Amino acid sequence: MVGTWNTATPSSNHHPSATQQYQAIITTICTLVTQCETQLNQFDLPLGIGIPGAISLKTGTIKNANTVCLIGQDLASDLSDQLNRSVKIENDANCFALSEAVDGAGKDMNTVFAVILGTGVGGGWVINKHLHIGSNAIAGEWGHNPLPFPSDHDLPKQTCYCGKAACIETYLSGPGFSQQTHLQFQYKASCPEIIEASTHTQHPFHQAAKKSYQLYVDRLARSLASVINIMDPDVIVLGGGVSNANALYEDVKRVWHPYIFSDSINTQLVKNVHGDSSGVRGAAWLNMDRFNS
Ligand SMILES: [Zn+2]
């Protein structure tokens, strides 16, 4: 089976229309599949794809995608027509959750919440090795809940692409972290640069980076606590670019207790096992019925 990310957004100086961008994505995926099959010398394999967004149960087309040119498109059908094969599409965080729950960081756990802290913030649930998609196909979409327990330290609020303000994603995504650091501490840097500066006392922006990182940790703790209070998972697995900050795990666990409604906390917070390719593995498994609910 072939798994691929659908993240190709063409860059151009003449601002291609949403339709042109969508067509470019279709072309890119078809090219990737052909290249893959040629390398593997295996053909007509079923295709699984992880996308930012979900399939609307009402229309059968894509909704909630931060690659907005996908919204309203029937990607599975269009790719199936072009490639002449079965195409299964699932939310990228759900694919990641499946990969980590089956044989990754959550393999010994019954209830797995897998989180992507990347260009966006997504989440997926796997319960007893089955993907839980939900009645509205939005299970795990915590990134567009408002930041819990907000205070003046969380100002200014940023408007999210979804139309609301102060969504968790506007604080906890890589770009959100970067933007908050810029707005609150006048330090303009990428997420890895901020984390690096927060650990080096000689860095000219050390204090700013450290304060912003501590705020990030507290916001992540609050946001995960609100998930724990509802679903009480055995393990939370982090993925996406921000999850590469190794100190994050212990730092969050040090501050999340006051936000969790329990005298003790058994929920584990761990890094993914399968790295940047984890979601692609999960996407490749979408055509295996035993993993689907
Ligand atoms: Zn939002």
Side-chain angles (χ1 to χ4, degrees):
M1 285 176 221
V2 178
T4 181
W5 287 117
N6 173 16
T7 54
T9 303
S11 62
S12 166
N13 293 328
H14 63 273
H15 300 296
S17 68
T19 307
Q20 287 171 320
Q21 289 180 39
Y22 178 66
Q23 285 304 327
I25 286 173
I26 296 270
T27 305
T28 303
I29 293 173
C30 291
T31 306
L32 283 170
V33 169
T34 307
Q35 287 173 351
C36 248
E37 289 189 327
T38 305
Q39 279 179 25
L40 294 168
N41 199 26
Q42 291 186 56
F43 300 91
D44 299 325
L45 299 168
L47 183 63
I49 298 183
I51 59 159
I55 306 295
S56 164
L57 299 179
K58 186 177 167 190
T59 63
T61 61
I62 293 172
K63 65 176 180 180
N64 298 353
N66 62 1
T67 305
V68 290
C69 69
L70 294 177
I71 294 172
Q73 301 287 359
D74 190 345
L75 183 62
S77 174
D78 292 341
L79 282 172
S80 188
D81 287 348
Q82 293 252 342
L83 292 164
N84 198 24
R85 71 190 70 197
S86 161
V87 176
K88 290 260 174 77
I89 290 184
E90 188 50 73
N91 174 265
D92 52 4
N94 286 359
C95 295
F96 170 63
L98 191 57
S99 169
E100 291 297 326
V102 170
D103 64 352
K107 70 180 169 60
D108 298 321
M109 308 289 178
N110 293 325
T111 315
V112 179
F113 183 50
V115 168
I116 292 183
L117 301 170
T119 53
V121 171
W125 286 98
V126 174
I127 299 167
N128 296 328
K129 309 296 180 209
H130 283 270
L131 201 52
H132 173 70
I133 294 165
S135 295
N136 307 292
I138 55 165
E141 289 288 5
W142 68 312
H144 299 278
N145 281 358
L147 184 74
F149 307 101
S151 75
D152 288 350
H153 297 296
D154 301 312
L155 297 173
K157 296 177 182 178
Q158 294 302 298
T159 304
C160 184
Y161 79 90
C162 77
K164 298 186 178 65
C167 287
I168 286 172
E169 179 164 308
T170 65
Y171 293 97
L172 298 186
S173 68
F177 181 29
S178 183
Q179 191 177 26
Q180 284 294 331
T181 306
H182 184 212
L183 289 170
Q184 290 192 286
F185 301 102
Q186 294 74 52
Y187 174 38
K188 193 170 188 177
S190 69
C191 170
E193 286 167 345
I194 298 163
I195 290 167
E196 176 79 11
S198 73
T199 61
H200 286 92
T201 53
Q202 301 304 314
H203 193 283
F205 286 97
H206 170 66
Q207 284 302 327
K210 191 175 163 190
K211 283 180 191 165
S212 190
Y213 171 74
Q214 285 168 343
L215 268 174
Y216 185 92
V217 165
D218 196 71
R219 288 164 180 159
L220 180 56
R222 284 181 257 160
S223 302
L224 292 177
S226 67
V227 173
I228 294 171
N229 287 343
I230 294 170
M231 282 291 284
D232 206 3
D234 296 320
V235 63
I236 298 172
V237 184
L238 301 187
V242 188
S243 74
N244 292 319
N246 289 326
L248 198 59
Y249 302 85
E250 290 307 313
D251 290 343
V252 168
K253 285 192 282 185
R254 253 193 294 278
V255 298
W256 73 0
H257 202 155
Y259 306 121
I260 297 171
F261 191 56
S262 177
D263 60 344
S264 64
I265 300 159
N266 295 319
T267 302
Q268 295 181 25
L269 179 65
V270 297
K271 193 174 183 176
N272 65 81
V273 165
H274 296 298
D276 292 343
S277 301
S278 196
V280 181
R281 297 171 81 251
W285 290 343
L286 292 174
N287 287 285
M288 296 172 76
D289 288 339
R290 71 190 171 101
F291 294 133
N292 292 303
S293 50

